[in-house]
Amino acid sequence: MHSFEMIHSAGAPAALGPYSQAVRAAGLLFVSGQLGLDPQTGELVSDEIRQQTIRVMDNLKAVLAAANLDFSNVVRADIFITSMKDFPLVNEIYASYFPGEYRCARQTVEVSALPRGAKVEISLIAAEKA
C-alpha cells in the first residue's frame, strides 16, 4: 500500500483545476507547475516575464517550505516558456534561487501557450535528504 500526502501552501496560489500544489510519495515531492500568479488575488503579477518568473520561483519556494524542503532538495525542474527569447532572463532568475553551485537536472521547452496567458511555468521534483 502506497502512502501519499497532499501538500498545500497559502504562500502559493491555489490549484487552478483538479490537482494538488504538490504530492509527497516515497521520499519525493512532486510540485505541480506554478505560474506567476499572486497567491492572494489569483491573478498574474504582471505581463512582464521578469516579474512572472520571480513570482513563479517564490510560489515554488512556498510549496517546498510547506513540505519542509528548499531548493537544495530539488532534483529536477521542468521549465515551459512561451518565447525562447526570454530564456536568458528566466535562466538568470531561476539560478539565483539555488544554493551555491548546486544545479539539479532540468529541461526547458518553448510552448505556444500557457494557462491564464502566462509566459512561464515551472514544475519541480524534490527529494528528502537522507
Side-chain angles (χ1 to χ4, degrees):
M1 175 77 85
H2 294 288
S3 171
F4 303 118
E5 176 188 3
M6 293 187 302
I7 303 294
H8 175 77
S9 170
L16 298 176
Y19 59 90
S20 298
Q21 287 177 334
V23 173
R24 185 189 320 257
L28 296 173
L29 184 71
F30 299 88
V31 182
S32 296
Q34 289 291 313
L35 303 173
L37 300 177
D38 180 292
Q40 303 306 314
T41 67
E43 300 297 323
L44 284 173
V45 293
S46 168
D47 287 334
E48 205 272 321
I49 188 69
R50 175 182 295 279
Q51 293 307 104
Q52 284 190 30
T53 305
I54 291 167
R55 186 71 251 170
V56 166
M57 296 304 292
D58 287 346
N59 291 344
L60 291 167
K61 183 178 181 178
V63 175
L64 288 168
N68 296 314
L69 301 174
D70 60 35
F71 285 102
S72 71
N73 296 95
V74 175
V75 295
R76 174 157 174 138
D78 296 306
I79 301 176
F80 304 94
I81 56 178
T82 57
S83 174
M84 276 297 173
K85 291 178 186 175
D86 294 327
F87 179 75
L89 180 59
V90 170
N91 198 45
E92 176 187 329
I93 294 166
Y94 166 92
S96 73
Y97 281 77
F98 283 84
E101 295 299 313
Y102 177 70
R103 300 292 180 256
C104 67
R106 185 182 89 180
Q107 70 175 342
T108 302
V109 179
E110 182 181 66
V111 297
S112 63
L114 290 166
R116 307 288 291 273
K119 294 182 178 182
V120 60
E121 179 174 2
I122 303 175
S123 63
L124 303 175
I125 300 172
E128 296 174 0
K129 294 178 182 173

